């Protein structure tokens, strides 16, 4: 009779069939709608940017781990996800060599130098984007539609420069809200279609990959900030629906702020984290020079996660309890 072994470990005892590979794969699947819309809108240039960042991130992780004699983890989809998220946050006109540098920075500097997956203190894809924004600000804020890609106007031109809808709102304009929701606008590859991003978000929440607390409190706190700012300034300088649909707010709230490694694990901590994100995004958008602010808001909030968890982790039963005397 075969003896059955019992494996005993300390609590908590959690039964879950998910793994790093399955979670990362599900997030990649959730990003397919936004990726498909970006490729449809910007054609070959978007595809080249996506392939460049994804291949760069996978190769950078493989080469680093081989050189450091570490187990190769490129098969867990984490490097692929970093490359995809980085690409979705880039304009299609950016030179591919800049994409390569951004991918290397995201994997080597923001991830591997701190111990690899699970040890990084900030989202690697956003770290790569912020690095590129600070190093190549001109290229990162150029949204020129080249010949053969002018999908908005349906005419052939050599090149057309157009501000993003969020930049138009900051300057006092009101772009077409329907186009912003469906995706017929300029912007980075992954920020044009709100509908595609929400479709992916619904998939993640249905699969229980992400918790609702961070994205909901993030968006809600930003909305409150926007309404208070409008009331204080006496006008609708930043209409709420345009701010919610424009830029990378939805992409950041559901796909990057919810990163397991760089976000709090406690329920109260997630709520505080989301509120902090909303406040920072509002400050950057309404008082900063740029119309965007999601990337830097998430990076700064990532740095505050250890402090948030320090004050929100529940104490064990009976710890520091008072006597009944």
């Amino acid at each position: 009779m075969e003896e059955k072994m019992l494996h005993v470990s300390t609590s908590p005892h959690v039964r879950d069939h998910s793994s790093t590979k399955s979670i990362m794969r599900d997030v990649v699947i959730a990003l397919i709608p936004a990726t498909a819309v970006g490729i449809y809108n910007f054609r070959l240039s978007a595809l080249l940017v996506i392939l460049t960042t994804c291949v760069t991130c996978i190769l950078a992780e493989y080469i680093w781990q081989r050189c450091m004699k570490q187990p190769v983890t490129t098969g867990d989809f984490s490097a692929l996800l970093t490359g995809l998220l980085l690409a979705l946050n880039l304009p299609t006109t950016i030179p591919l060599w800049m994409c390569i540098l951004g991918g290397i920075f995201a994997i080597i500097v923001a991830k591997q130098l701190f111990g690899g997956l699970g040890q990084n203190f900030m989202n690697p894809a956003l770290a790569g984007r912020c690095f590129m924004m600070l190093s190549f600000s001109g290229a990162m804020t150029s949204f020129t539609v080249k010949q053969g890609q002018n999908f908005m106007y349906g005419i052939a031109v050599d090149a057309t420069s157009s501000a993003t809808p969020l930049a138009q709102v900051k300057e006092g304009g009101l772009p077409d809200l329907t186009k912003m929701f469906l995706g017929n606008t300029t912007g980075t590859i992954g920020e044009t279609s709100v509908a595609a991003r929400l479709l992916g978000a619904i998939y993640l929440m249905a699969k229980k990959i992400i918790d609702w607390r961070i994205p909901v409190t993030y968006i809600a706190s930003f909305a409150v900030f926007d309404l208070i700012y409008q009331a204080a300034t006496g006008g609708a300088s930043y209409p709420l629906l345009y701010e919610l649909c424009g830029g990378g707010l939805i992409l950041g709230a559901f796909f990057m702020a919810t990163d397991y490694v760089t976000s709090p694990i406690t329920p109260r901590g997630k709520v505080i984290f989301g509120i902090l994100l909303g406040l920072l995004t509002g400050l950057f958008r309404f008082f900063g020079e740029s119309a965007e602010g999601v990337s830097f808001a998430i990076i700064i909030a990532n740095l505050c996660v250890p402090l948030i968890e320090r004050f929100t982790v529940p104490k064990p039963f009976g710890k520091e309890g008072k006597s009944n005397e």
Side-chain angles (χ1 to χ4, degrees), residues 142-158:
S142 174
F143 300 96
T144 302
V145 183
K146 297 180 180 179
Q147 184 176 2
Q149 299 173 0
N150 197 346
F151 62 94
M152 290 186 297
Y153 302 101
I155 57 176
V157 292
D158 292 333

Side-chain angles (χ1 to χ4, degrees), residues 259-276:
D259 177 31
Y260 286 7
V261 181
T262 58
S263 63
I265 61 174
T266 62
R268 282 193 303 156
K270 291 178 180 180
V271 172
I272 296 173
F273 185 68
I275 294 173
L276 177 61

